[in-house]
Each structure stands twice: as structure tokens, then as C-alpha cells.
Amino acid sequence: MKNPDHEVLIVGAGFSGIGSAIMLDKAGFSDYQVIEAGSGPGGTWYWNTYPGIAVDIPSFSYQFSFEQSTNWSRTYAPGRELRAYAEHCVDKYGLRPKIRFNTAVRSAVFDEDNEFWRLELDSDEVLTGRFLINGSGILTTPNLPDIDGVDSFAGATIHTARWDHSQDLRGKRVAVIGTGASAVQLIPEIAPIVAQLNVFQRTPIWCFPKADRPLSARQQLAMRIPGVKSIQRLVSQAYVELTFPLVTHYFTVNPTVKHMAEAGKAYLRRQVRDPEVRDKLTPRYAVGCKRPAFHNTYLSTFNRDNVELVTAPIDKITGSSVVVAGGLSHDVDVLILATGFKVLDPDELPTYPISGVGGQRLAEFWNTSRLQAYQGVSVPGFPNFFTIFGPYGFVGSSYFALIEAQAHHIVRCLKHARRRHATRVEVTREANDRYFASMLRKRRRQIFWQDSCKQSNSYYFDKHGDVPLRAASTPEVYWHSRRYPLTAYRFGTASGRKVLH
Ligand code: NAP
């Protein structure tokens, strides 16, 4: 049996990869290598740099518990500060020498003879690691819309997730396709500078005001008082918990979110003058079927004379025109695709193909057996493989608390493996089946199963009609990451594959 190049390989230097690396180091696992496609860390915040980008979760909880910043300029940090925070974490925790930037993973194959993972890189090299942690994210691969002619648009085309900063939009006729969270942030930023902005909306989004305020120097100073940051984090975490996981996963127990639709409509009435435009911007599905948006000037942007909301379905794109059903043609200079990501698509999750025992492809397993993973972390048939935010891993609260919990789950498992000199760690089918069944049982109390959700076009639903979000609160996830039975895994040694618990 050969030795691998590293004990652990981590794919992705976004916050999932950064958090996993720091927690591995703290647990005494220093032989790891991070592989990152970008030229810098930050993941989402590295790739997404469109005008107006900011986080929608208060910054006090959108950060690691062990690395709380006092430098946020606003209650909801802009994208560039999150990218700077990623750089800061990488440097402070000494990760930079262990990250291979500008390197994409082409495929990962489990080598059964040697009980390690073989990663083929886009540099044609092969890197091996006993364990593989995937941190390639869930909102990673840009989704290009299947609109006839979109590839041959005569002007400039920009996807929000790959913003082209060389394009000057001033005085141009611009089209934005899509009205998700990215478009909601982008549209108010560019509307004042472009000559004409046509927004092509397929499904309206619920938009609520955002308590986004600058943080003064005095407030930043106050955060340096011992304990203040932790209290702020706790309050912020509680707010996020109350506004997402608790209303979403315990909807039948706590249906308070029903009142949110009235609040959303009242906000629309205050913000949008034209009743016809307001009507078009009003979602016909219940709040919670789909991720809502939070912005203070998105809706009012539709009061501007140079902004038109187009709700007729797009028929095709020809030359420099977007043609809608009925034949009306909108001439534009720049086409902006705010059309999101390939979400919950087994062929894109992770962003590279993975083959486990007997050459079975992870995508094939998920395509035929539905998306599933034990506590959102591990999959039977894929030994020594762990993922952050696998199916039924994300509850919808701040990513950071969940990254820490999932990384804790993994590190606990690896520590046990090390104690047992195990070279092969695999979640049992029974543990996975029990977890999957429990997630399906908990559906009955979730928000997603209301009739009107069928009209929402929500990416929460995968092609099987499942919503692979973890039906739990963040404290439950935290608790399970520390208390899950280690008997959920089989620990085998190289000599004879003895099963140890
Ligand atoms: P998204 O929410 O998936 O929105 C994509 C938009 O494009 C939708 O309005 C969709 O319409 C439309 N679309 C897609 N294909 C189309 C087609 N062929 N024709 C017409 N319209 C089409 O993507 P996103 O706005 O990039 O946001 C994705 C996620 O990223 C968010 O939900 C959020 O989790 C995250 N995000 C977070 C922040 C933040 O924290 N502030 C900011 C941006 C993004 P339908 O709705 O009809 O499908």
C-alpha cells in the first residue's frame, strides 16, 4: 500500500475550506493541502464582485466564532470586506503556503488498493490524500439561461458571478435578466448611471427592508470591549435563527411567517408608486417558498423613468435585441445575466466528478437514489470523503456557524480514525438511511410544502421535488456535530480491513 502525498486534501479556499483547514490545524492535522481554482481565497466573495454586492446576514454572525472582526464598516458588510476577511484569516492562521491557487480539480477517484483519494488537477498533475474534504460550495457554477440566441448577443454579456469590470455601463442601454438576490443588489446600483435599464422578470421576489447601517468609529471601538463582540454575535445569530430556520423548518408549529406576506405587500405599497408595476412585483407564492431578498432601494428603483420592468417571457435574443413573447423587441448594448447558479444539480455538486467504491459516481448515486448525505457530511460508498454543505447539511442560517459545526463533525471523525490507526472511514448505509428518513419525516412541519410554492420556481427544490435543506435549527446541528454516534462510521485498518468502532 502506497502512502498518499497528504493526509487531507481540501477542495476550495472559500470559507468552508478555510474553516476546515483552521480546525484541522487546531486538532493537530497539519498535513493538508488546499486546492483552489481562483487566484485568491474567499470563494463566493472572490468570484462575485458585481456592483452593490453585500451580505444579507448581519456581519456580527457572518464570521467565524474564533475570529471576530471589529472592522466591519456596516451592519451588513460589502463583498470586498468579506474578501478581505478571507485574506485576513488565511494569513493570520498561516494557511497561505498550504493553498494551491489557480488550480482546479478535474476529478476525484477513490483508490481502493491504497485507500486514498486521487485528484486529477487541471495542470495534469495527480495529488493523493488519505482523506478528502470538499468545500467547493453550493452556489458556485454560474447558470447560463437556456434562451435561444443568448450566446450570440452582439453587445457585451456579463454574468453577475463573473463581473467584467472593464465594461463601463454609463450611458448604455442595459438589460438585466433575473430578479434573484444578486439582481436585487445590482439593479439599484446601476440604474442611476445607465441610459435605460430593462429588467426581465420571470418570477417576482419577496423583498423586505434591511437594517443596513454604517458602523461608526465609536461603535467599532466599542466592539473591542471584552465580551461585546460575542454578545453581538449571539444576538445576531438569534435574529437569523428566528427569521429563517425556526420559521422555515418549524412552520406548522410556528406559522408567524404568514404575516410576512402582509408586511411585504405593505412595503411594496410604500415603495412603488405605479399600481401596475407594483402588481407585477408582487409574488403569488407564500413567503419562504423561495429565498427572499433584503434591500432598501430595490423596489423604489422601479419608480425611475429610465427603468422598465418587463414581465413578458423572453422568446429569443437576436443581434442586440431581447425579443419577448408577442414579438416586442428591446434593443440593448449590454446584457447582464443575473440568472444565478446551478444549484442542487448532482452533476455540479461538487464541481468535479467523484468516483467511490467500485467506480460508482457520486452524481449517479444522487441522480438515481435522490440527494442524501449523513448529516450533510458523508455518503455511503464514498470512504474517506467528507463535504461541507452536502445535501441536508445547510439549515439556512449563517454559513459560518454551520461550517464550524460540519468541520467539527469531520474533525471528530478523523481524530477517532487516527486513534484507531484507521486508513478507511466510511459512513454506514444504515446510519445514512436513518438520517435521510428522519429528514423526510420532518418535512411535514416545513414551509416548502404549501401549494403556492409550486409557482415559486424555487431552487430549494431539486429535480426529484425534494428540498435537501437540513430540517433543524443551528443549535441542533451544533449538538449533533458533537454527539453523533461514532458507530455511524466504519473504521478500517489497512491490514485486513478490520472494522473497529
Ligand atoms: P437566483 O436567486 O437563482 O436568481 C436567478 C434569477 O434568474 C431568477 O429570478 C430566475 O427566475 C432568473 N432566471 C434564470 N433563468 C432564467 C431564464 N432562462 N429566463 C428568465 N429568467 C431566468 O440567483 P442569484 O440572484 O444569483 O442568487 C443566488 C443565491 O446566491 C441567492 O439565493 C443567495 O443565496 C445567494 N446570494 C446572496 C447574496 C447575499 O447574501 N446578499 C447576494 C446574492 C446572492 P425564476 O425565479 O423564475 O427562476
Side-chain angles (χ1 to χ4, degrees), residues 74-104:
R74 309 188 67 84
T75 47
Y76 292 82
R80 65 174 181 284
E81 286 184 26
L82 286 154
R83 191 169 163 186
Y85 176 71
E87 297 272 358
H88 163 80
C89 291
V90 159
D91 288 328
K92 177 165 174 185
Y93 291 89
L95 309 185
R96 203 170 288 276
K98 292 183 173 180
I99 307 178
R100 237 173 117 153
F101 291 109
N102 301 306
T103 308

PDB file of all heavy atoms in Angstrom, residues 74-104:
ATOM      1  N   ARG A  74     -20.143  48.262   8.039  1.00  0.00           N
ATOM      2  CA  ARG A  74     -21.608  48.326   8.081  1.00  0.00           C
ATOM      3  C   ARG A  74     -22.147  47.110   8.832  1.00  0.00           C
ATOM      4  O   ARG A  74     -21.407  46.135   9.043  1.00  0.00           O
ATOM      5  CB  ARG A  74     -22.203  48.326   6.660  1.00  0.00           C
ATOM      6  CG  ARG A  74     -21.615  49.354   5.717  1.00  0.00           C
ATOM      7  CD  ARG A  74     -22.394  49.386   4.421  1.00  0.00           C
ATOM      8  NE  ARG A  74     -23.748  49.887   4.605  1.00  0.00           N
ATOM      9  CZ  ARG A  74     -24.086  51.165   4.629  1.00  0.00           C
ATOM     10  NH1 ARG A  74     -23.170  52.097   4.483  1.00  0.00           N
ATOM     11  NH2 ARG A  74     -25.347  51.526   4.778  1.00  0.00           N
ATOM     12  N   THR A  75     -23.417  47.194   9.184  1.00  0.00           N
ATOM     13  CA  THR A  75     -24.038  46.038   9.848  1.00  0.00           C
ATOM     14  C   THR A  75     -24.091  44.844   8.892  1.00  0.00           C
ATOM     15  O   THR A  75     -24.077  43.695   9.332  1.00  0.00           O
ATOM     16  CB  THR A  75     -25.462  46.390  10.320  1.00  0.00           C
ATOM     17  OG1 THR A  75     -26.135  47.048   9.250  1.00  0.00           O
ATOM     18  CG2 THR A  75     -25.451  47.272  11.552  1.00  0.00           C
ATOM     19  N   TYR A  76     -24.194  45.119   7.582  1.00  0.00           N
ATOM     20  CA  TYR A  76     -24.135  44.060   6.567  1.00  0.00           C
ATOM     21  C   TYR A  76     -22.936  44.399   5.672  1.00  0.00           C
ATOM     22  O   TYR A  76     -22.995  45.351   4.890  1.00  0.00           O
ATOM     23  CB  TYR A  76     -25.426  44.029   5.736  1.00  0.00           C
ATOM     24  CG  TYR A  76     -26.643  43.575   6.523  1.00  0.00           C
ATOM     25  CD1 TYR A  76     -27.347  44.464   7.326  1.00  0.00           C
ATOM     26  CD2 TYR A  76     -27.078  42.255   6.456  1.00  0.00           C
ATOM     27  CE1 TYR A  76     -28.451  44.050   8.059  1.00  0.00           C
ATOM     28  CE2 TYR A  76     -28.184  41.827   7.184  1.00  0.00           C
ATOM     29  CZ  TYR A  76     -28.865  42.734   7.982  1.00  0.00           C
ATOM     30  OH  TYR A  76     -29.955  42.319   8.705  1.00  0.00           O
ATOM     31  N   ALA A  77     -21.875  43.631   5.811  1.00  0.00           N
ATOM     32  CA  ALA A  77     -20.615  44.005   5.147  1.00  0.00           C
ATOM     33  C   ALA A  77     -20.715  43.920   3.634  1.00  0.00           C
ATOM     34  O   ALA A  77     -21.342  43.006   3.095  1.00  0.00           O
ATOM     35  CB  ALA A  77     -19.510  43.074   5.630  1.00  0.00           C
ATOM     36  N   PRO A  78     -20.084  44.860   2.933  1.00  0.00           N
ATOM     37  CA  PRO A  78     -19.986  44.740   1.476  1.00  0.00           C
ATOM     38  C   PRO A  78     -19.043  43.593   1.086  1.00  0.00           C
ATOM     39  O   PRO A  78     -18.183  43.193   1.882  1.00  0.00           O
ATOM     40  CB  PRO A  78     -19.414  46.087   1.036  1.00  0.00           C
ATOM     41  CG  PRO A  78     -18.980  46.804   2.251  1.00  0.00           C
ATOM     42  CD  PRO A  78     -19.501  46.085   3.460  1.00  0.00           C
ATOM     43  N   GLY A  79     -19.207  43.107  -0.135  1.00  0.00           N
ATOM     44  CA  GLY A  79     -18.435  41.955  -0.608  1.00  0.00           C
ATOM     45  C   GLY A  79     -16.935  42.107  -0.440  1.00  0.00           C
ATOM     46  O   GLY A  79     -16.246  41.172  -0.029  1.00  0.00           O
ATOM     47  N   ARG A  80     -16.404  43.307  -0.739  1.00  0.00           N
ATOM     48  CA  ARG A  80     -14.933  43.462  -0.697  1.00  0.00           C
ATOM     49  C   ARG A  80     -14.404  43.259   0.725  1.00  0.00           C
ATOM     50  O   ARG A  80     -13.294  42.773   0.925  1.00  0.00           O
ATOM     51  CB  ARG A  80     -14.511  44.818  -1.274  1.00  0.00           C
ATOM     52  CG  ARG A  80     -14.960  45.995  -0.501  1.00  0.00           C
ATOM     53  CD  ARG A  80     -14.443  47.333  -0.979  1.00  0.00           C
ATOM     54  NE  ARG A  80     -14.944  48.355  -0.102  1.00  0.00           N
ATOM     55  CZ  ARG A  80     -16.189  48.818  -0.107  1.00  0.00           C
ATOM     56  NH1 ARG A  80     -17.055  48.375  -1.000  1.00  0.00           N
ATOM     57  NH2 ARG A  80     -16.591  49.736   0.764  1.00  0.00           N
ATOM     58  N   GLU A  81     -15.224  43.604   1.751  1.00  0.00           N
ATOM     59  CA  GLU A  81     -14.754  43.408   3.134  1.00  0.00           C
ATOM     60  C   GLU A  81     -14.738  41.918   3.481  1.00  0.00           C
ATOM     61  O   GLU A  81     -13.901  41.465   4.261  1.00  0.00           O
ATOM     62  CB  GLU A  81     -15.657  44.169   4.114  1.00  0.00           C
ATOM     63  CG  GLU A  81     -15.415  45.649   4.047  1.00  0.00           C
ATOM     64  CD  GLU A  81     -16.228  46.449   5.067  1.00  0.00           C
ATOM     65  OE1 GLU A  81     -16.608  45.914   6.120  1.00  0.00           O
ATOM     66  OE2 GLU A  81     -16.481  47.635   4.763  1.00  0.00           O
ATOM     67  N   LEU A  82     -15.670  41.167   2.897  1.00  0.00           N
ATOM     68  CA  LEU A  82     -15.674  39.725   3.165  1.00  0.00           C
ATOM     69  C   LEU A  82     -14.488  39.057   2.493  1.00  0.00           C
ATOM     70  O   LEU A  82     -13.892  38.132   3.027  1.00  0.00           O
ATOM     71  CB  LEU A  82     -17.004  39.118   2.730  1.00  0.00           C
ATOM     72  CG  LEU A  82     -18.087  39.519   3.736  1.00  0.00           C
ATOM     73  CD1 LEU A  82     -19.454  39.521   3.109  1.00  0.00           C
ATOM     74  CD2 LEU A  82     -18.045  38.619   4.949  1.00  0.00           C
ATOM     75  N   ARG A  83     -14.156  39.573   1.334  1.00  0.00           N
ATOM     76  CA  ARG A  83     -12.975  39.031   0.656  1.00  0.00           C
ATOM     77  C   ARG A  83     -11.719  39.366   1.469  1.00  0.00           C
ATOM     78  O   ARG A  83     -10.839  38.519   1.660  1.00  0.00           O
ATOM     79  CB  ARG A  83     -12.887  39.614  -0.755  1.00  0.00           C
ATOM     80  CG  ARG A  83     -11.874  38.922  -1.574  1.00  0.00           C
ATOM     81  CD  ARG A  83     -11.940  39.299  -3.021  1.00  0.00           C
ATOM     82  NE  ARG A  83     -10.700  38.920  -3.670  1.00  0.00           N
ATOM     83  CZ  ARG A  83     -10.392  39.204  -4.911  1.00  0.00           C
ATOM     84  NH1 ARG A  83     -11.254  39.859  -5.677  1.00  0.00           N
ATOM     85  NH2 ARG A  83      -9.259  38.841  -5.428  1.00  0.00           N
ATOM     86  N   ALA A  84     -11.664  40.590   1.991  1.00  0.00           N
ATOM     87  CA  ALA A  84     -10.514  40.988   2.819  1.00  0.00           C
ATOM     88  C   ALA A  84     -10.473  40.142   4.097  1.00  0.00           C
ATOM     89  O   ALA A  84      -9.392  39.768   4.581  1.00  0.00           O
ATOM     90  CB  ALA A  84     -10.606  42.470   3.166  1.00  0.00           C
ATOM     91  N   TYR A  85     -11.644  39.828   4.634  1.00  0.00           N
ATOM     92  CA  TYR A  85     -11.707  38.984   5.847  1.00  0.00           C
ATOM     93  C   TYR A  85     -11.141  37.586   5.544  1.00  0.00           C
ATOM     94  O   TYR A  85     -10.412  37.013   6.360  1.00  0.00           O
ATOM     95  CB  TYR A  85     -13.159  38.918   6.323  1.00  0.00           C
ATOM     96  CG  TYR A  85     -13.398  38.012   7.515  1.00  0.00           C
ATOM     97  CD1 TYR A  85     -12.941  38.356   8.793  1.00  0.00           C
ATOM     98  CD2 TYR A  85     -14.092  36.810   7.367  1.00  0.00           C
ATOM     99  CE1 TYR A  85     -13.164  37.518   9.884  1.00  0.00           C
ATOM    100  CE2 TYR A  85     -14.319  35.973   8.449  1.00  0.00           C
ATOM    101  CZ  TYR A  85     -13.845  36.332   9.708  1.00  0.00           C
ATOM    102  OH  TYR A  85     -14.073  35.499  10.783  1.00  0.00           O
ATOM    103  N   ALA A  86     -11.453  37.063   4.340  1.00  0.00           N
ATOM    104  CA  ALA A  86     -10.918  35.748   3.943  1.00  0.00           C
ATOM    105  C   ALA A  86      -9.386  35.825   3.870  1.00  0.00           C
ATOM    106  O   ALA A  86      -8.689  34.947   4.383  1.00  0.00           O
ATOM    107  CB  ALA A  86     -11.500  35.327   2.592  1.00  0.00           C
ATOM    108  N   GLU A  87      -8.882  36.880   3.269  1.00  0.00           N
ATOM    109  CA  GLU A  87      -7.420  37.058   3.166  1.00  0.00           C
ATOM    110  C   GLU A  87      -6.807  37.136   4.571  1.00  0.00           C
ATOM    111  O   GLU A  87      -5.765  36.528   4.837  1.00  0.00           O
ATOM    112  CB  GLU A  87      -7.081  38.366   2.415  1.00  0.00           C
ATOM    113  CG  GLU A  87      -7.544  38.410   0.970  1.00  0.00           C
ATOM    114  CD  GLU A  87      -6.539  37.827  -0.013  1.00  0.00           C
ATOM    115  OE1 GLU A  87      -5.458  37.411   0.424  1.00  0.00           O
ATOM    116  OE2 GLU A  87      -6.863  37.767  -1.222  1.00  0.00           O
ATOM    117  N   HIS A  88      -7.489  37.875   5.435  1.00  0.00           N
ATOM    118  CA  HIS A  88      -7.002  38.031   6.808  1.00  0.00           C
ATOM    119  C   HIS A  88      -6.911  36.676   7.513  1.00  0.00           C
ATOM    120  O   HIS A  88      -5.894  36.353   8.145  1.00  0.00           O
ATOM    121  CB  HIS A  88      -7.957  38.980   7.560  1.00  0.00           C
ATOM    122  CG  HIS A  88      -7.816  38.925   9.040  1.00  0.00           C
ATOM    123  ND1 HIS A  88      -6.809  39.578   9.720  1.00  0.00           N
ATOM    124  CD2 HIS A  88      -8.535  38.245   9.994  1.00  0.00           C
ATOM    125  CE1 HIS A  88      -6.920  39.321  11.016  1.00  0.00           C
ATOM    126  NE2 HIS A  88      -7.953  38.521  11.201  1.00  0.00           N
ATOM    127  N   CYS A  89      -7.967  35.863   7.390  1.00  0.00           N
ATOM    128  CA  CYS A  89      -7.975  34.544   8.058  1.00  0.00           C
ATOM    129  C   CYS A  89      -6.856  33.667   7.508  1.00  0.00           C
ATOM    130  O   CYS A  89      -6.149  32.995   8.260  1.00  0.00           O
ATOM    131  CB  CYS A  89      -9.316  33.838   7.853  1.00  0.00           C
ATOM    132  SG  CYS A  89     -10.672  34.633   8.725  1.00  0.00           S
ATOM    133  N   VAL A  90      -6.695  33.701   6.191  1.00  0.00           N
ATOM    134  CA  VAL A  90      -5.665  32.876   5.549  1.00  0.00           C
ATOM    135  C   VAL A  90      -4.272  33.252   6.080  1.00  0.00           C
ATOM    136  O   VAL A  90      -3.455  32.385   6.382  1.00  0.00           O
ATOM    137  CB  VAL A  90      -5.767  33.039   4.008  1.00  0.00           C
ATOM    138  CG1 VAL A  90      -4.491  32.650   3.320  1.00  0.00           C
ATOM    139  CG2 VAL A  90      -6.938  32.217   3.489  1.00  0.00           C
ATOM    140  N   ASP A  91      -4.034  34.555   6.219  1.00  0.00           N
ATOM    141  CA  ASP A  91      -2.717  34.983   6.695  1.00  0.00           C
ATOM    142  C   ASP A  91      -2.544  34.745   8.187  1.00  0.00           C
ATOM    143  O   ASP A  91      -1.531  34.210   8.627  1.00  0.00           O
ATOM    144  CB  ASP A  91      -2.482  36.459   6.348  1.00  0.00           C
ATOM    145  CG  ASP A  91      -2.245  36.615   4.856  1.00  0.00           C
ATOM    146  OD1 ASP A  91      -1.685  35.672   4.260  1.00  0.00           O
ATOM    147  OD2 ASP A  91      -2.640  37.650   4.281  1.00  0.00           O
ATOM    148  N   LYS A  92      -3.561  35.126   8.950  1.00  0.00           N
ATOM    149  CA  LYS A  92      -3.419  35.004  10.408  1.00  0.00           C
ATOM    150  C   LYS A  92      -3.206  33.551  10.831  1.00  0.00           C
ATOM    151  O   LYS A  92      -2.452  33.278  11.760  1.00  0.00           O
ATOM    152  CB  LYS A  92      -4.658  35.586  11.095  1.00  0.00           C
ATOM    153  CG  LYS A  92      -4.587  35.416  12.590  1.00  0.00           C
ATOM    154  CD  LYS A  92      -5.563  36.248  13.355  1.00  0.00           C
ATOM    155  CE  LYS A  92      -5.491  35.873  14.840  1.00  0.00           C
ATOM    156  NZ  LYS A  92      -6.480  36.544  15.624  1.00  0.00           N
ATOM    157  N   TYR A  93      -3.887  32.622  10.159  1.00  0.00           N
ATOM    158  CA  TYR A  93      -3.785  31.214  10.573  1.00  0.00           C
ATOM    159  C   TYR A  93      -2.754  30.437   9.744  1.00  0.00           C
ATOM    160  O   TYR A  93      -2.701  29.205   9.814  1.00  0.00           O
ATOM    161  CB  TYR A  93      -5.177  30.555  10.527  1.00  0.00           C
ATOM    162  CG  TYR A  93      -6.076  31.128  11.609  1.00  0.00           C
ATOM    163  CD1 TYR A  93      -6.851  32.253  11.362  1.00  0.00           C
ATOM    164  CD2 TYR A  93      -6.079  30.586  12.887  1.00  0.00           C
ATOM    165  CE1 TYR A  93      -7.632  32.819  12.358  1.00  0.00           C
ATOM    166  CE2 TYR A  93      -6.852  31.150  13.900  1.00  0.00           C
ATOM    167  CZ  TYR A  93      -7.626  32.268  13.628  1.00  0.00           C
ATOM    168  OH  TYR A  93      -8.385  32.824  14.625  1.00  0.00           O
ATOM    169  N   GLY A  94      -1.942  31.172   8.995  1.00  0.00           N
ATOM    170  CA  GLY A  94      -0.814  30.543   8.293  1.00  0.00           C
ATOM    171  C   GLY A  94      -1.219  29.558   7.211  1.00  0.00           C
ATOM    172  O   GLY A  94      -0.497  28.596   6.943  1.00  0.00           O
ATOM    173  N   LEU A  95      -2.355  29.801   6.555  1.00  0.00           N
ATOM    174  CA  LEU A  95      -2.818  28.827   5.557  1.00  0.00           C
ATOM    175  C   LEU A  95      -2.190  29.041   4.178  1.00  0.00           C
ATOM    176  O   LEU A  95      -2.154  28.131   3.368  1.00  0.00           O
ATOM    177  CB  LEU A  95      -4.348  28.887   5.382  1.00  0.00           C
ATOM    178  CG  LEU A  95      -5.235  28.814   6.627  1.00  0.00           C
ATOM    179  CD1 LEU A  95      -6.701  28.755   6.219  1.00  0.00           C
ATOM    180  CD2 LEU A  95      -4.898  27.583   7.453  1.00  0.00           C
ATOM    181  N   ARG A  96      -1.742  30.248   3.903  1.00  0.00           N
ATOM    182  CA  ARG A  96      -1.361  30.584   2.520  1.00  0.00           C
ATOM    183  C   ARG A  96      -0.378  29.579   1.899  1.00  0.00           C
ATOM    184  O   ARG A  96      -0.586  29.134   0.773  1.00  0.00           O
ATOM    185  CB  ARG A  96      -0.820  32.019   2.445  1.00  0.00           C
ATOM    186  CG  ARG A  96      -0.932  32.621   1.049  1.00  0.00           C
ATOM    187  CD  ARG A  96      -0.631  34.107   1.050  1.00  0.00           C
ATOM    188  NE  ARG A  96      -1.665  34.914   1.655  1.00  0.00           N
ATOM    189  CZ  ARG A  96      -2.760  35.353   1.049  1.00  0.00           C
ATOM    190  NH1 ARG A  96      -2.976  35.055  -0.217  1.00  0.00           N
ATOM    191  NH2 ARG A  96      -3.641  36.074   1.670  1.00  0.00           N
ATOM    192  N   PRO A  97       0.683  29.184   2.634  1.00  0.00           N
ATOM    193  CA  PRO A  97       1.613  28.231   1.993  1.00  0.00           C
ATOM    194  C   PRO A  97       0.963  26.883   1.678  1.00  0.00           C
ATOM    195  O   PRO A  97       1.513  26.108   0.899  1.00  0.00           O
ATOM    196  CB  PRO A  97       2.710  28.045   3.056  1.00  0.00           C
ATOM    197  CG  PRO A  97       2.493  29.084   4.086  1.00  0.00           C
ATOM    198  CD  PRO A  97       1.097  29.563   3.982  1.00  0.00           C
ATOM    199  N   LYS A  98      -0.180  26.617   2.289  1.00  0.00           N
ATOM    200  CA  LYS A  98      -0.814  25.305   2.075  1.00  0.00           C
ATOM    201  C   LYS A  98      -1.928  25.366   1.038  1.00  0.00           C
ATOM    202  O   LYS A  98      -2.653  24.397   0.832  1.00  0.00           O
ATOM    203  CB  LYS A  98      -1.375  24.797   3.396  1.00  0.00           C
ATOM    204  CG  LYS A  98      -0.294  24.460   4.388  1.00  0.00           C
ATOM    205  CD  LYS A  98      -0.892  23.912   5.637  1.00  0.00           C
ATOM    206  CE  LYS A  98       0.201  23.416   6.566  1.00  0.00           C
ATOM    207  NZ  LYS A  98      -0.349  22.878   7.782  1.00  0.00           N
ATOM    208  N   ILE A  99      -2.105  26.543   0.438  1.00  0.00           N
ATOM    209  CA  ILE A  99      -3.156  26.664  -0.590  1.00  0.00           C
ATOM    210  C   ILE A  99      -2.512  26.721  -1.957  1.00  0.00           C
ATOM    211  O   ILE A  99      -1.599  27.530  -2.189  1.00  0.00           O
ATOM    212  CB  ILE A  99      -4.029  27.923  -0.380  1.00  0.00           C
ATOM    213  CG1 ILE A  99      -4.587  27.968   1.042  1.00  0.00           C
ATOM    214  CG2 ILE A  99      -5.173  27.947  -1.402  1.00  0.00           C
ATOM    215  CD1 ILE A  99      -5.424  29.194   1.360  1.00  0.00           C
ATOM    216  N   ARG A 100      -2.999  25.872  -2.838  1.00  0.00           N
ATOM    217  CA  ARG A 100      -2.541  25.930  -4.234  1.00  0.00           C
ATOM    218  C   ARG A 100      -3.582  26.686  -5.020  1.00  0.00           C
ATOM    219  O   ARG A 100      -4.653  26.149  -5.304  1.00  0.00           O
ATOM    220  CB  ARG A 100      -2.466  24.512  -4.774  1.00  0.00           C
ATOM    221  CG  ARG A 100      -1.096  24.193  -5.263  1.00  0.00           C
ATOM    222  CD  ARG A 100      -1.034  22.781  -5.607  1.00  0.00           C
ATOM    223  NE  ARG A 100      -0.761  22.732  -7.035  1.00  0.00           N
ATOM    224  CZ  ARG A 100      -0.144  21.722  -7.586  1.00  0.00           C
ATOM    225  NH1 ARG A 100       0.222  20.697  -6.864  1.00  0.00           N
ATOM    226  NH2 ARG A 100       0.085  21.728  -8.868  1.00  0.00           N
ATOM    227  N   PHE A 101      -3.285  27.954  -5.330  1.00  0.00           N
ATOM    228  CA  PHE A 101      -4.240  28.783  -6.068  1.00  0.00           C
ATOM    229  C   PHE A 101      -4.163  28.476  -7.562  1.00  0.00           C
ATOM    230  O   PHE A 101      -3.263  27.756  -8.016  1.00  0.00           O
ATOM    231  CB  PHE A 101      -3.938  30.268  -5.829  1.00  0.00           C
ATOM    232  CG  PHE A 101      -4.242  30.713  -4.409  1.00  0.00           C
ATOM    233  CD1 PHE A 101      -3.223  31.014  -3.514  1.00  0.00           C
ATOM    234  CD2 PHE A 101      -5.554  30.809  -3.964  1.00  0.00           C
ATOM    235  CE1 PHE A 101      -3.501  31.404  -2.214  1.00  0.00           C
ATOM    236  CE2 PHE A 101      -5.842  31.209  -2.667  1.00  0.00           C
ATOM    237  CZ  PHE A 101      -4.815  31.505  -1.794  1.00  0.00           C
ATOM    238  N   ASN A 102      -5.106  29.018  -8.300  1.00  0.00           N
ATOM    239  CA  ASN A 102      -5.150  28.869  -9.770  1.00  0.00           C
ATOM    240  C   ASN A 102      -5.114  27.405 -10.202  1.00  0.00           C
ATOM    241  O   ASN A 102      -4.553  27.069 -11.242  1.00  0.00           O
ATOM    242  CB  ASN A 102      -3.961  29.599 -10.422  1.00  0.00           C
ATOM    243  CG  ASN A 102      -3.979  31.068 -10.088  1.00  0.00           C
ATOM    244  OD1 ASN A 102      -4.988  31.743 -10.308  1.00  0.00           O
ATOM    245  ND2 ASN A 102      -2.905  31.564  -9.515  1.00  0.00           N
ATOM    246  N   THR A 103      -5.684  26.548  -9.401  1.00  0.00           N
ATOM    247  CA  THR A 103      -5.661  25.119  -9.710  1.00  0.00           C
ATOM    248  C   THR A 103      -7.068  24.543  -9.517  1.00  0.00           C
ATOM    249  O   THR A 103      -7.619  24.636  -8.425  1.00  0.00           O
ATOM    250  CB  THR A 103      -4.682  24.377  -8.768  1.00  0.00           C
ATOM    251  OG1 THR A 103      -3.422  25.046  -8.810  1.00  0.00           O
ATOM    252  CG2 THR A 103      -4.511  22.926  -9.175  1.00  0.00           C
ATOM    253  N   ALA A 104      -7.600  23.983 -10.585  1.00  0.00           N
ATOM    254  CA  ALA A 104      -8.946  23.391 -10.471  1.00  0.00           C
ATOM    255  C   ALA A 104      -8.821  21.871 -10.431  1.00  0.00           C
ATOM    256  O   ALA A 104      -7.894  21.297 -11.003  1.00  0.00           O
ATOM    257  CB  ALA A 104      -9.796  23.815 -11.661  1.00  0.00           C
TER     258      ALA A 104
END
